[in-house]
Amino acid sequence: MICEDQLVINKFVKEASKYTKLGEVADYIPALKTADPDTLSFAVFGETSSCLCAGDSNETFTLQSISKVITLALALMDNGVEKVFSKVGMEPTGDPFNSMIKLETHSPSKPLNPMINAGALAVSSMIKGENVDEKLSRLLRFVQDLAEDSTITFNDMVAQSEFDTANLNRSLCYFMKQHGVIDDDVNTLLEFYTKQCAIEVSCSQLAKIGFIIANEGKKLNSNEQLIPTHISKILKTFMVTCGMYNASGEFAIRVGIPAKSGVSGGIMVSVPNRIGIGIYGPALDERGNSIAGMHLLEALSNHYNLSIF
Ligand code: DON
């Protein structure tokens, strides 16, 4: 028998799917161009709803900017709050995710927050490890633990495609190196960053990770603390203030839930103390967020009264 919530979800996913026609897949990373723009898949994970899904919730896609939340967690666990925020700020920018403008106009010249590319690159430079392989295997292990799946890995083709074309990110790195925010070799940092962005997950796995952040860092029905509570609070706060880039204000009003998007079309959502949601819809709006995913979340938030405000 299909439960009532599954019928509601099927209906909302079908309605939101219509918006895929109004968006476009990201093409500035060549390997992302081949995604099917009509796709929309969804999974929710939590105490009373594990695990409802719609569409192909096992299809994998790359994390892209969703990885910024996870690397921030690891960097904070590796270095502590004070050290991380000596290199990156806590304020939203209102600018596109890859903008350089505030790095130049603000003094001191540190990135305004960890959810824009400049801030995420600075955070990635703080992940502990002797070399890219060691940093990446620590990060992968962390993602595997959060999603409870030891097979999760990264897509080398997507990583290489981004590495070969990441001239804007390279320029952000050189600017930050000049101003003492990072001191890494730029291409080594970019190799790690592009591999972190290319970690592949499904909606179901993303919903599980979102749930742990929602559940103050703990697994479902367990006291195992994968992320310290104070860090899970920091993550949710950045997801609210900066998670949907320069659409974060509108998203807070229309949907009102901590969420983080990526240009592959993924969205990870953490409804505090309730559920985690994973969405994949690669057709993006002009600000780089999944267009159907945004409409789906608005409908679900209204129906289930999910807004935290
Ligand atoms: O650095 C980049 O441009 C990509 N790897 C990630 C950007 C991204 O996902 C922004 N999302 N909305």
Side-chain angles (χ1 to χ4, degrees):
M1 201 185 88
I2 301 182
C3 73
E4 197 187 317
D5 288 334
Q6 183 67 62
L7 293 173
V8 170
I9 285 164
N10 291 350
K11 173 174 160 276
F12 284 141
V13 169
K14 191 167 170 211
E15 280 169 13
S17 290
K18 293 177 195 146
Y19 291 95
T20 59
K21 299 277 176 250
L22 304 178
E24 282 179 24
V25 297
D27 59 4
Y28 77 99
I29 299 174
L32 297 183
K33 270 193 238 176
T34 54
D36 174 5
D38 298 334
T39 300
L40 182 61
S41 48
F42 170 91
V44 57
F45 186 81
E47 196 130 17
T48 52
S49 45
S50 59
C51 177
L52 294 169
C53 38
D56 184 359
S57 61
N58 291 316
E59 181 181 0
T60 57
F61 52 92
T62 55
L63 283 173
Q64 297 304 331
S65 283
I66 300 168
S67 68
K68 290 167 177 166
V69 178
I70 301 168
T71 45
L72 176 62
L74 193 56
L76 287 165
M77 287 156 71
D78 277 355
N79 301 280
V81 171
E82 209 170 314
K83 173 145 185 228
V84 169
F85 292 114
S86 71
K87 296 287 184 189
V88 57
M90 300 179 182
E91 299 303 333
T93 67
D95 296 326
F97 60 85
N98 50 11
S99 174
M100 180 175 263
I101 192 158
K102 294 225 165 65
L103 268 186
E104 210 179 352
T105 54
H106 266 246
S107 181
S109 187
K110 75 177 187 186
L112 277 189
N113 71 68
M115 300 292 122
I116 50 172
N117 284 8
L121 286 157
V123 166
S124 296
S125 82
M126 286 184 263
I127 301 292
K128 292 226 188 310
E130 287 298 311
N131 49 42
V132 172
D133 283 352
E134 207 176 298
K135 284 164 74 127
L136 191 66
S137 61
R138 289 189 65 241
L139 176 61
L140 276 173
R141 181 70 190 277
F142 186 49
V143 176
Q144 291 165 355
D145 288 348
L146 294 170
E148 292 183 274
D149 188 334
S150 61
T151 66
I152 290 177
T153 186
F154 71 99
N155 181 322
D156 211 2
M157 203 260 289
V158 175
Q160 191 64 48
S161 173
E162 181 173 8
F163 184 84
D164 291 343
T165 53
N167 296 318
L168 200 44
N169 282 339
R170 250 180 210 97
S171 61
L172 293 171
C173 288
Y174 281 117
F175 193 93
M176 290 193 288
K177 190 160 170 161
Q178 179 67 27
H179 290 274
V181 179
I182 60 169
D183 51 26
D184 311 51
D185 170 71
V186 168
N187 277 320
T188 308
L189 176 56
L190 268 176
E191 183 190 339
F192 173 67
Y193 174 79
T194 51
K195 287 179 175 169
Q196 114 188 9
C197 288
I199 293 174
E200 278 186 317
V201 295
S202 65
C203 282
S204 310
Q205 291 164 339
L206 205 53
K208 277 192 172 174
I209 301 173
F211 175 80
I212 288 173
I213 296 169
N215 197 38
E216 313 223 309
K218 290 196 293 277
K219 280 186 179 173
L220 182 62
N221 299 327
S222 150
N223 282 328
E224 198 182 341
Q225 193 83 45
L226 294 178
I227 301 173
T229 305
H230 72 286
I231 293 180
S232 84
K233 282 190 198 306
I234 293 172
L235 304 182
K236 283 186 287 259
T237 311
F238 277 124
M239 288 162 80
V240 168
T241 57
C242 320
M244 309 303 277
Y245 299 105
N246 44 334
S248 298
E250 186 179 337
F251 187 81
I253 287 171
R254 289 188 188 280
V255 184
I257 318 174
K260 181 77 201 82
S261 66
V263 285
S264 54
I267 307 178
M268 177 176 76
V269 181
S270 302
V271 185
N273 303 310
R274 290 175 72 180
I275 51 173
I277 294 173
I279 289 179
Y280 175 52
L284 307 180
D285 63 19
E286 68 285 355
R287 290 181 284 195
N289 296 312
S290 170
I291 191 161
M294 301 279 272
H295 281 92
L296 176 57
L297 285 171
E298 187 174 349
L300 288 169
S301 178
N302 288 335
H303 184 85
Y304 288 107
N305 196 18
L306 297 178
S307 173
I308 62 170
F309 299 108

